[in-house]
Amino acid sequence: FLFFLIGFTDDIFSLSAVIRLVIQIVIALWAWNMGLRIDNIDISWLDIPKIELTTFLSSLITTLWLVGITNAVNWLDGLDGLAAGISLISFVGYLVTAIHFQQLFICLILTGLIGTILAFLKYNKHPSRIMMGDGGAYFYGFYLAILGILTPINGSQNFQFFIPLIILFIPIADMAFVILSRIFQNKSPFYPDRRHLHHRLINRGFNSQKTVLIICFASLSLFCLVLILLGFLPKN
């Protein structure tokens, strides 16, 4: 709700990027302090012992994840139905994961979120009648970040970090590319430009509808990869 308020306020008053980022970090740290945290990383499938994080690393990684994913989804909200479509596929990926790990409560949350996006997409697809705005993008983005921590945890409380990384690969890769390319050109990471994936596809001649379909199909392919990997993961 607090992340939604930040975005909604920005929609109305156009807050500076620095102010938004500072408030997001404060909220993310508060969420970490309340128990929403990444405490370990399970890579036992590589025959490497589970990595237990120190308090500092746990707070740092959790905050970077919560703030980063939220803004990555917001940055995708540049075409009709794009951010909503990616969020829908990602939530379905989480739902399958939650079913695999027998997380009933998370399944209920995800079912509700999927329902809201399906209803929203009816009016957000091209040509859109309503827009998500920063408020909606922050709301869904923060939920994707939260559930990216809570969902890929098996019965032994081990965090399967690669699951949310695969499901959210497109927004993560898009944000990483944009930020690094801006920095390498001595520009601010918050400098607005047309470096995002959807902008580059449009510059290559695809219209907005085909661009959304291409990116969503790529996201759906990653979802299928998660289905395959879940078959090799124990439930506890």
Side-chain angles (χ1 to χ4, degrees), residues 45 92-93 96-97 100-101 162-163 166-167 219-234:
W45 43 279
V92 173
V96 173
T97 305
H100 177 80
F101 291 133
F162 63 89
I163 293 178
I166 295 174
I167 291 176
S219 181
L220 190 60
S221 300
L222 293 170
F223 163 69
C224 293
L225 176 59
V226 169
L227 289 180
I228 296 172
L229 293 175
L230 284 175
F232 295 95
L233 286 178

Side-chain angles (χ1 to χ4, degrees), residues 94-132:
Y94 284 162
L95 178 60
V96 173
T97 305
I99 292 172
H100 177 80
F101 291 133
Q102 301 176 4
Q103 299 167 311
L104 177 59
F105 181 68
I106 293 179
C107 287
L108 294 175
I109 294 175
L110 285 163
T111 302
L113 288 168
I114 290 170
T116 64
I117 292 188
L118 286 173
F120 175 73
L121 270 172
K122 178 181 178 181
Y123 303 99
N124 184 241
K125 64 183 180 181
H126 184 81
S128 65
R129 294 169 57 187
I130 57 176
M131 296 178 62
M132 183 178 286

